Amino acid sequence: MYLRIRHSTTYRYGGPVAFGPHRLMLRPRDSFDLRVVDTALSISPQARLRWMHDAYGNSVAIANFDAPADTLDIVSELVLQRFGSALPRTEIEPAASVSGVVYSEGERAVLQPYLDLAAADPDGMLDQWLSDFRARIGQGSGHLLRDLAHAIYGGLSYALRYDEGTQHPADTLRQQAGSCRDYAWLFIELARRMGFAARFVTGYIHDRTPDAAGLVSTVGLTHAWADVFIPGDGWVEFDPTNDLVADRQLLRVAVARVPEDASPVSGSFTGLTGSFLGLGVGVTIEMVEELA
């Protein structure tokens, strides 16, 4: 089974503007659970592309423009083959919620950036939420991280946000609502506070049950979730928005320590004040039985 993905991003302006370099994170990496079969990237106005790997090993295209325009269109097309992800098979004792898991010296040297907290908690909201969560340990699935994702899934309300950026985890708890990026970032910072190495993942999600009670997150947009490194299992995917763990519906594109390092499209423009009129994003995913 193959998946064909079309991801379009359109910026509209009130008149011609000059574009600065744009950073595009739209191409996944091949792995045992995800194979990149074909890719195509089209940009209007015409751009010169320079490819590189960032500090995380993600594929990044830097687009440089010569001509101004009142519209910027970026269309990425992918054909992927998705296999099963690594499942969490290792049992995690409840005590890990306080002391964390035991990483080897070599693992910890590599994982330290994903263990360090990146969101402050001056009012103690995250710590209080964790205290309440720890009091319920043993009443769920028996797997600490599955239960963490499920608690966020069941305790918050999904809210589609068109604002740029990601909410502070404390704001997500305060509002009891957030987008998929907000859910993922909250999960990551809570997992780190329990001693787990966690990272942010951006990509797409394919709803395999469109005629049933399917996904919580909105189909037709990009998606975000979390990875946690579990000794013996490696990086395992947790999606608190949809209460999924290591599911083939998750189509990974890029990973990062913090959300701002994993934006699919970012860049700048120079123009008159109020030039920017709007942004449109569309994602379509279709299953393909056989490739032509």
Side-chain angles (χ1 to χ4, degrees):
M1 184 72 68
Y2 298 90
L3 296 170
R4 192 184 305 276
I5 303 170
R6 187 180 189 274
H7 176 185
S8 63
T9 306
T10 302
Y11 295 89
R12 294 182 293 105
Y13 304 88
V17 299
F19 299 107
H22 277 57
R23 190 172 184 268
L24 314 178
M25 302 179 72
L26 299 168
R27 189 190 194 284
R29 283 182 292 179
D30 283 290
S31 183
F32 70 91
D33 61 349
L34 182 72
R35 186 167 76 93
V36 180
V37 179
D38 194 18
T39 67
L41 182 62
S42 60
I43 303 175
S44 178
Q46 188 173 359
R48 291 171 283 110
L49 289 181
R50 176 175 63 88
W51 285 92
M52 59 175 281
H53 288 109
D54 68 4
Y56 302 103
N58 300 310
S59 293
V60 177
I62 306 298
N64 289 281
F65 302 85
D66 294 324
D70 59 8
T71 302
L72 172 58
D73 282 313
I74 302 169
V75 178
S76 169
E77 295 180 283
L78 303 169
V79 177
L80 306 178
Q81 192 173 15
R82 183 68 159 99
F83 307 94
S85 295
L87 288 165
R89 297 180 175 85
T90 302
E91 291 187 10
I92 300 176
E93 298 298 328
S97 68
V98 177
S99 59
V101 293
V102 178
Y103 294 121
S104 69
E105 184 177 342
E107 288 172 338
R108 184 166 288 275
V110 175
L111 296 172
Q112 193 59 54
Y114 305 105
L115 287 161
D116 292 340
L117 302 180
D121 186 24
D123 298 328
M125 289 196 66
L126 300 179
D127 286 340
Q128 182 58 55
W129 191 96
L130 271 182
S131 177
D132 295 340
F133 172 74
R134 289 180 175 120
R136 301 192 303 271
I137 289 176
Q139 301 175 20
S141 70
H143 192 282
L144 186 63
L145 294 170
R146 282 182 182 270
D147 291 344
L148 176 64
H150 183 73
I152 294 173
Y153 167 81
L156 303 181
S157 298
Y158 176 78
L160 182 61
R161 292 195 305 108
Y162 292 100
D163 301 339
E164 291 188 5
T166 305
Q167 286 181 167
H168 190 286
D171 290 335
T172 301
L173 287 181
R174 189 174 294 110
Q175 298 172 23
Q176 292 291 288
S179 67
C180 61
R181 295 176 70 86
D182 304 325
Y183 275 62
W185 189 220
L186 172 62
F187 177 93
I188 289 165
E189 281 295 292
L190 292 173
R192 288 173 179 172
R193 281 169 168 77
M194 292 194 295
F196 292 92
R199 64 187 184 184
F200 190 85
V201 189
T202 184
Y204 312 105
I205 188 164
H206 176 231
D207 191 352
R208 296 183 298 190
T209 57
D211 298 325
L215 304 174
V216 173
S217 52
T218 302
V219 175
L221 298 175
T222 56
H223 190 51
W225 58 97
D227 264 353
V228 179
F229 192 86
I230 302 174
D233 291 332
W235 289 108
V236 178
E237 297 173 312
F238 292 87
D239 177 10
T241 306
N242 298 289
D243 205 18
L244 299 175
V245 178
D247 197 286
R248 286 191 296 173
Q249 293 179 203
L250 300 171
L251 308 172
R252 177 182 61 255
V253 171
V255 300
R257 187 181 72 89
V258 291
E260 53 265 33
D261 287 350
S263 179
V265 178
S266 59
S268 63
F269 75 93
T270 303
L272 298 175
T273 302
S275 294
F276 179 66
L277 298 180
L279 164 65
V281 177
V283 176
T284 59
I285 304 175
E286 60 176 345
M287 289 186 291
V288 182
E289 294 289 346
E290 294 183 7
L291 295 179

